[in-house]
Amino acid sequence: MQIRDLPYPDPGIPDARSGPRFLLWLGRNQLGGQLKALAWGLLHHLGIAGLPLGAGLAVQAVVDRSGGRLALAGGLIALFGAAITVGDTMLHRSAVTNWITAAARVQQLLARKTADLGSALTRRVAAGEVVAVSTGDVEKIGWFVEALSRFLAAAIAIVLICFGLVLYLPSLGILVALGVPVLALAVLPLLPRATQRADIQREKAGKATELASDTVAGLRVLRGIGGEELFLGRYRAASQEVREAAVRSARMWSLISAIQVLLPGVLLISVVWYGARLALDGRIGVGALVTVYSAVTLLLFPLRHFEEIAMAYSFSRPSAKRAARVLSLERTSYEEERGSLDDARPTGDLYDPATGLLAPSGLLTAVVCGDPDAAGRLAERLGGHAAEEEKSPSVLLGGVALDDLPLGAARACVLVQDKDPVLLSGTLAELLDVPASGAVDPGKALAAAQCGDVLDALVQASVDGTGDPMRSRITERGRSLSGGQRQRLALARSLVTDPEVLVLDEPTSAVDSHTEARIAQSVKELRAGRTTVVFASSPLLLDRADRVVFVHEGEVAAVGVHRELVLRDACYRAVVTRESDQEELMAPASSPAREEIGESA
């Protein structure tokens, strides 16, 4: 896989049982790239290992006054230099390719899992943790994948160099062969503590990221209640904890780095001292001493990869654990059974056996719930997004259980827009470029959602000077727009898709009454012949619904049209008109005042 071939057609099914298993699975899927980087790394390191041989031959040729051997030594040095250049260039290219492709694979897996879980994701995993996994953790995992091939190449090169030195000059080669394993393994006792400190740092950094994400998301509310300083103080405290944990972790890694410098220095001094004595005794030549000395010096370079792989694994293991935890989430308890039917898309009435809610095909059905949270859960159930802990029977569309449909078919049939829809950054045209039937163009959808003032605002904020609102950019989560403007753009996006069943949860809660009335009428006209379910308690919207269903304590309590239900159902009337118990007792349902309320509603 090359960078130009991204994204992956299929990122695969990860082994998310644990962090190390996920890293192993990721390494197996990157095997081709790893072998390529390993080959280039061997060429690079063996080129470095060959330089001492050329230098030793050159020194000995000068001592022996042999021009032919000096020219041969020069040719060998040039050859090894070319190997180093080519190997280092291609190793860097292959390793970075492994990093980017591995990170892209993890990001695709996370994106697929996010799309699969839908709104259930944020109920089970904090939004800040998802952000941390998809950004910083992905980078750490990619670092380990990238460093692995370089480490393997360095380890193989060290073994070959030590073996070559033993054959070339046993008296010094054995000393090097015995000392190098000590250098490589000396830091192992410190790694568990370093890993523990790295884990603590990552955990605290993740919590700080979650706190920052939640604070930014609720900044408008915090300003309204004057809570900026409180949350700013909490973030300061969290960031200081991250700093202290990072310093403690850095101290341990600096100790490991110091050992990696000290012990090779001791080995080098020992080799020089012993080799000099052998040279003075005439047991080895000057060229041989230079060769061994240069080889030991250059061994310090591949030995550093042992420290790097230890650091990469220590930082990537908790990151892989977090990624595996997200990837191991299952959407519902019936996920394994989903898809027993073919990809056909049923039509007909939408029925929920758990509550008795029926939304007849082709009509606009309004649902009133006294509990907003219960309304949100019911809306998710109607779209097949029920929480995992729910054991209720599946919602039926045309008599077909949504749970028995393939996930893609179920979501194409029923689209749910929750009460807090998210607008992705990009142009308005990109926002409305969603999978759709093609029956509703963006212009009609924007008109039905009463987005005229939103389009004017986008034109005024446009920086390209074209005056085309469709090319105007929308900031992340639509933060530059008001709550009502965001709601209407999200509604327009839902209308463009033109699903068989559209479920809207409080789509006009942030819109003024005049605009809300026009939206209700426009949506009803645009969705004529399609099934639409709206969760709302606004009389303006309820009055335009073909059918109103009142759900109380998890069951359908009343069905009819709004004006009738206001007159005959006291509980419904209390929810819709926000009456207090005292007002309800003072104004019986049969009184003229009550009839006047019903007419005005």
Side-chain angles (χ1 to χ4, degrees):
M1 172 63 72
Q2 299 296 319
I3 296 176
R4 63 175 176 269
D5 299 324
L6 294 174
Y8 287 94
D10 180 11
I13 301 176
D15 186 349
R17 288 176 290 177
S18 66
R21 287 179 181 272
F22 178 66
L23 288 175
L24 180 62
W25 174 87
L26 193 61
R28 289 200 306 266
N29 281 270
Q30 303 283 132
L31 186 59
Q34 295 286 0
L35 292 177
K36 184 183 297 185
L38 176 61
W40 290 119
L42 284 175
L43 178 63
H44 171 63
H45 288 296
L46 293 180
I48 293 176
L51 289 179
L53 178 61
L57 290 175
V59 171
Q60 194 63 45
V62 171
V63 173
D64 297 339
R65 299 181 181 277
S66 174
R69 282 187 294 166
L70 183 61
L72 175 62
L76 286 176
I77 292 175
L79 179 62
F80 289 133
I84 294 172
T85 301
V86 174
D88 190 27
T89 301
M90 298 307 297
L91 170 62
H92 178 74
R93 179 170 180 169
S94 300
V96 171
T97 298
N98 289 338
W99 185 337
I100 295 176
T101 52
R105 186 188 295 273
V106 177
Q107 286 179 327
Q108 281 187 245
L109 291 171
L110 292 171
R112 186 175 67 182
K113 179 60 65 173
T114 301
D116 182 35
L117 291 173
S119 59
L121 176 64
T122 53
R123 292 200 304 265
R124 302 169 63 182
V125 181
E129 182 173 355
V130 177
V131 173
V133 171
S134 59
T135 54
D137 288 334
V138 167
E139 182 180 353
K140 296 295 187 301
I141 293 171
W143 177 28
F144 174 75
V145 173
E146 180 257 350
L148 182 60
S149 57
R150 292 207 310 269
F151 162 72
L152 293 176
I156 295 174
I158 288 175
V159 172
L160 294 177
I161 292 172
C162 291
F163 182 72
L165 287 177
V166 171
L167 295 180
Y168 176 73
L169 193 63
S171 55
L172 285 177
I174 293 176
L175 175 62
V176 175
L178 293 176
V180 167
V182 176
L183 301 183
L185 303 178
V187 297
L188 285 182
L190 299 177
L191 287 181
R193 182 173 296 181
T195 301
Q196 181 183 15
R197 293 189 179 185
D199 291 349
I200 295 174
Q201 178 193 353
R202 293 294 305 153
E203 181 182 356
K204 291 184 179 296
K207 291 181 179 179
T209 302
E210 293 174 17
L211 179 60
S213 177
D214 293 341
T215 302
V216 171
L219 188 58
R220 180 174 296 182
V221 177
L222 291 176
R223 287 175 176 172
I225 62 176
E228 304 102 307
E229 289 299 326
L230 174 62
F231 276 82
L232 183 59
R234 292 181 181 178
Y235 183 74
R236 284 198 187 102
S239 63
Q240 288 302 312
E241 291 181 3
V242 174
R243 182 189 61 81
E244 293 173 0
V247 170
R248 295 184 72 250
S249 178
R251 285 174 180 168
M252 184 57 64
W253 288 112
S254 64
L255 177 60
I256 292 175
S257 298
I259 293 175
Q260 291 281 8
V261 173
L262 175 63
L263 294 183
V266 173
L267 176 62
L268 184 60
I269 294 173
S270 301
V271 169
V272 171
W273 177 79
Y274 185 56
R277 291 180 61 86
L278 293 178
L280 289 174
D281 294 340
R283 297 165 58 183
I284 63 173
V286 176
L289 177 60
V290 171
T291 299
V292 176
Y293 169 75
S294 302
V296 174
T297 303
L298 293 177
L299 271 177
L300 302 182
F301 175 72
L303 278 173
R304 290 190 177 276
H305 290 289
F306 284 77
E307 177 189 353
E308 182 191 17
I309 195 64
M311 291 184 64
Y313 180 73
S314 297
F315 281 95
S316 66
R317 188 175 61 85
S319 297
K321 180 180 178 181
R322 288 153 62 108
R325 184 167 63 248
V326 174
L327 294 175
S328 65
L329 297 176
E330 293 295 338
R331 181 170 170 268
T332 59
S333 58
Y334 54 80
E335 185 68 26
E336 295 180 358
E337 302 176 1
R338 177 181 282 277
S340 59
L341 299 180
D342 56 20
D343 199 30
R345 298 180 180 179
T347 60
D349 298 343
L350 184 69
Y351 177 66
D352 178 24
T355 60
L357 172 63
L358 174 66
S361 176
L363 299 182
L364 173 60
T365 301
V367 181
V368 177
C369 292
D371 183 2
D373 293 333
R377 292 192 296 268
L378 179 54
E380 292 174 355
R381 272 189 50 77
L382 294 181
H385 303 273
E388 183 178 8
E389 61 272 11
E390 289 191 18
K391 304 300 181 182
S392 304
S394 171
V395 172
L396 306 177
L397 178 60
V400 178
L402 291 181
D403 296 353
D404 293 334
L405 291 174
L407 186 59
R411 290 190 170 177
C413 291
V414 183
L415 174 66
V416 179
Q417 176 183 306
D418 60 25
K419 65 181 63 178
D420 187 23
V422 175
L423 302 182
L424 302 179
S425 60
T427 64
L428 180 57
E430 292 171 342
L431 176 69
L432 301 179
D433 184 16
V434 293
S437 66
V440 179
D441 60 67
K444 292 181 180 179
L446 290 168
Q450 303 298 312
C451 293
D453 63 318
V454 184
L455 299 180
D456 294 338
L458 291 176
V459 169
Q460 293 177 2
S462 175
V463 295
D464 58 7
T466 61
D468 184 4
M470 301 301 292
R471 297 179 60 182
S472 298
R473 295 197 64 81
I474 298 173
T475 57
E476 180 187 3
R477 299 180 67 91
R479 298 190 190 281
S480 60
L481 304 173
S482 67
Q485 290 174 330
R486 288 197 299 270
Q487 271 193 341
R488 283 176 284 162
L489 284 181
L491 176 60
R493 179 179 58 187
S494 299
L495 294 174
V496 166
T497 61
D498 190 37
E500 179 65 27
V501 179
L502 176 60
V503 180
L504 304 172
D505 186 7
E506 296 288 353
T508 57
S509 59
V511 178
D512 63 84
S513 58
H514 298 288
T515 306
E516 183 180 34
R518 293 195 298 269
I519 290 175
Q521 186 62 34
S522 299
V523 170
K524 182 176 181 180
E525 295 173 356
L526 186 64
R527 293 281 301 170
R530 293 285 202 179
T531 306
T532 307
V533 180
V534 181
F535 285 80
S537 58
S538 169
L540 293 171
L541 199 153
L542 297 174
D543 193 45
R544 286 165 175 78
D546 299 312
R547 192 167 185 264
V548 177
V549 178
F550 178 48
V551 178
H552 183 61
E553 295 183 352
E555 295 182 354
V556 173
V559 179
V561 295
H562 169 64
R563 294 172 183 263
E564 294 178 356
L565 292 177
V566 167
L567 293 175
R568 64 182 173 85
D569 193 296
C571 189
Y572 174 84
R573 183 169 56 248
V575 172
V576 173
T577 61
R578 277 75 169 179
E579 289 180 337
S580 64
D581 295 339
Q582 184 176 3
E583 290 173 334
E584 179 65 25
L585 293 174
M586 294 178 62
S590 59
S591 68
R594 178 65 57 211
E595 296 178 3
E596 183 178 350
I597 291 176
E599 290 297 326
S600 62

